[in-house]
Amino acid sequence: MLEKISETTEFLRSEGFIDPVAGIILGTGLGGLTAKMVNRKEIDYRNIPNFPVSTVEGHEGKLIFGEFGGRKIVVMKGRFHYYEGYGPEQVSFAVRVLKYLGIKCLFLSNAAGGVNPDFQIGDIMVITDHINLLPNPLVGQNDERIGVRFPDMGEAYDRYLIKKALLIAAEHHMRIRKGVYLATSGPTFETPAEYKYFRIIGADAVGMSTTPEVIVARHMGLPCFAVSVITDLGVEGKIAYTTHESVQHEAEKTESNMTIIMTELINSL
Ligand code: HPA
């Protein structure tokens, strides 16, 4: 795997993707953040050696390099999901590449269903911990040059960045939540009984991404910060018909607040 990572990293460096300080993986409906980047370079995933190609509508599939608030960053606009048929290793390969490009921190966003009864549609939830119900991307042979066999997950989400994000939200009078993100395979949204079950086992929100990338990032010692946009509710009495379009629509509405949090966090690095 290290050979493949090096091949892809060298290709990206030759295209000018040099020394980014942070990587961002943008979820459903949050693509607009890249509009604020200057001196941009973009490459479609399909033109990057060893990258899988993203197939979901609304997930564009581009790697974008540029400056954001004066810092060099690299953004994945569109991610790889397990439900698309990619293996756990393919889902997280790009994260390995970002690490070897030199990023010091990984930022992630996603759309999720809220199972905490206090949540409302449109809430932004800072992820403090997760429950991974997807196959673990580290299953298989381990390369000690990349990370240890049994990585600790006691602080999967960086405490300092969580604190900082909550401060930023308060300064901007934003409504912000904290909570546990549960990842399930999808592509079905949950039945009412499943939402209830996920709440009982400790989740605040449920989605179909993020945990594989965070696991792989932590395997390499990369600090992570992640946020969910609550696009629908999996709470008894509040469950409405959910579609990919309704999720995209609700996620887009929070874009300006998400951009504020991400911009200020990156500026604080
Ligand atoms: N469940 C799973 N994934 C999701 C949801 C949900 O309710 N909303 C957005 N992504």
Side-chain angles (χ1 to χ4, degrees), residues 110-210:
N110 61 52
V115 293
N116 181 324
D118 296 333
F119 285 8
Q120 292 173 14
I121 291 177
D123 278 350
I124 293 176
M125 181 188 91
V126 172
I127 301 178
T128 53
D129 202 350
H130 75 219
I131 298 171
N132 179 48
L133 298 185
L134 283 169
N136 194 303
L138 303 182
V139 169
Q141 218 176 21
N142 186 58
D143 187 335
E144 288 285 334
R145 292 171 297 177
I146 300 176
V148 297
R149 172 73 289 189
F150 300 107
D152 181 79
M153 291 295 283
E155 195 185 331
Y157 300 85
D158 189 79
R159 234 177 280 161
Y160 167 80
L161 291 169
I162 292 171
K163 215 163 134 188
K164 186 90 201 161
L166 296 175
L167 283 175
I168 293 166
E171 276 166 22
H172 290 269
H173 309 289
M174 247 179 240
R175 199 180 140 85
I176 194 109
R177 309 295 200 163
K178 286 193 292 183
V180 174
Y181 175 86
L182 181 146
T184 168
S185 75
T188 45
F189 292 111
E190 286 64 37
T191 63
E194 286 165 344
Y195 279 129
K196 194 169 176 179
Y197 166 62
F198 290 156
R199 179 64 186 157
I200 289 168
I201 65 171
D204 292 291
V206 50
M208 307 173 194
S209 67
T210 304

Side-chain angles (χ1 to χ4, degrees), residues 112-115 121-122 189-190 195 229-234 240 242 246-247 250:
V115 293
I121 291 177
F189 292 111
E190 286 64 37
Y195 279 129
V229 179
I230 305 303
T231 56
D232 54 276
L233 296 173
T242 307
S246 66
V247 166
E250 290 302 332

Side-chain angles (χ1 to χ4, degrees), residues 11 43-49 51 53:
F11 165 80
I43 309 183
D44 283 353
Y45 291 161
R46 74 173 78 90
N47 297 324
I48 301 175
F51 256 50
V53 175

Side-chain angles (χ1 to χ4, degrees), residues 30 33 109 124 227 229 254-262:
L30 298 167
L33 193 138
S109 70
I124 293 176
V227 275
V229 179
T254 66
E255 201 165 294
S256 59
N257 279 346
M258 292 283 283
T259 306
I260 290 170
I261 295 174
M262 292 292 192

